[in-house]
Amino acid sequence: MSGSGLLDGVRVLDLTRFVSGAYASFTMATLGAEVLKVESPTGGDPYRNQGTARVGDESVLFMTLNSAKKSVALDFRAQSARPAVEALLASCDVFLENGRPGSLTKYRLDYESVHARHPHIVYGSISGFGDVGPDASKGGFDLILQASGGLMSVTGHEKTGPAKIGAPVTDVGAGLACVVGILAALVERERSGVGRRVSTSLLEFSMAALATLATAYLVNGELPGLLGSHSPTFAPYGAFRARDGMFVAAGAGSEALWQRFCQALGAPQLIEDPRFVDNHSRVSAREELTEEIEAFTTKRSVAEWIDIFEAAQVPADRINDVPGVLGGAQAQALGAVQTLHHETAGAYPVLGIPVRIDRHPLPIPHAAPRLGRHTREVLGSVGMASGDIDTLIRSGTASESP
């Protein structure tokens, strides 16, 4: 069983742009939902024309985030589009948006308005800072929220300063968090018949990612600071220099693991060293401990240390680059990369969602759509006459591609 079609019969009206909302709807589409991506009839989603990588004339950035969706090119802001929007809403189970809170009110597409007219809809909303509070009206991208959300304060090194995590983790995390809430609300709707409002934000995911560190601060005021690749909670737990590069090892978590680490390192004397008598002591003396460890690790290669620690049942691994991880045997076994076929651009690779069912990866149903590829099909499916669709297209309120 492939697991595809888990959300078969669920229809999503998707007004999102950029990464967080697009990843949420991509996840739902991969799970089997029918996602109707509403785009501007002139130009479409901004990401159609952004990003440095392209396949043919298509943006890889757009195709990555919008595979498995249907494109409806419709200017939802236009008064003449209101009947079409209402018909789409009536046919959908989920409405998904990631604009600034309040930005859809003038189009009667805010939660209160939509819920009053279509109480069955589960309304999903992603924002930068949340939909309540003094910062609710602020816009925010991943970079901004990694900074203001605290992640950069614990990422980087004292010598080089705070650093942004290289991937858009708050975007992807907020998108997945929103999907979790939407799925729970859909289950609840089976009992009540009424949809709920599901909201999350990049800020809330940033704080969630800090959960273990935040608790220590809230309890005793401890702040981890910039520790490079090391942990504020365990030691040794981080990156260490070898003769030909660096590797990571987790020689903490239990005293038995610490002792195996020291034996594998060839330094059993560290077990009895009063500076490192327990984990709290080792965390306090992290710099001294790292110096002692690297006096041994720099004598062998990364590959040798990986083998040594694996034999000793001490978690350790090399620091992979992107080609290393995506081309590795484990990624291939997981079915992480899938190849889709775009109507005009041809074949392109996409990472699937981080979920497998019955040990099988979830297949992405189809490639990203051309702008307006499904406008006529979708509007016709909600009862609009062909002549009315033609009128919208002639006026520029909608567009279609053959």
Side-chain angles (χ1 to χ4, degrees), residues 289-358:
L289 177 61
T290 300
E291 289 180 7
E292 295 280 0
I293 291 170
E294 290 189 339
F296 292 87
T297 58
T298 51
K299 295 177 181 178
R300 294 179 183 268
S301 69
V302 168
E304 288 177 293
W305 282 118
I306 299 305
D307 290 341
I308 289 169
F309 284 126
E310 183 176 355
Q313 295 185 312
V314 174
D317 214 333
R318 66 189 71 254
I319 300 172
N320 260 332
D321 56 13
V322 174
V325 65
L326 296 185
Q330 186 61 26
Q332 293 177 26
L334 293 171
V337 180
Q338 301 181 32
T339 300
L340 303 179
H341 295 272
H342 189 271
E343 287 182 306
T344 58
Y348 68 98
V350 179
L351 276 172
I353 65 173
V355 175
R356 291 186 302 135
I357 301 295
D358 298 328

Side-chain angles (χ1 to χ4, degrees), residues 59 85 104 106 209 223 235 276 283 294 301 305-306 335 350 360 366:
S59 164
V85 172
L104 292 177
K106 58 186 173 182
L223 291 172
F276 314 132
V283 170
E294 290 189 339
S301 69
W305 282 118
I306 299 305
V350 179
H360 294 285
H366 56 81

Side-chain angles (χ1 to χ4, degrees), residues 256-279:
L257 180 56
W258 157 244
Q259 292 170 18
R260 292 202 304 274
F261 176 87
C262 292
Q263 295 290 350
L265 190 66
Q269 68 274 15
L270 295 180
I271 298 172
E272 304 300 330
D273 192 312
R275 296 174 296 171
F276 314 132
V277 66
D278 56 26
N279 183 66

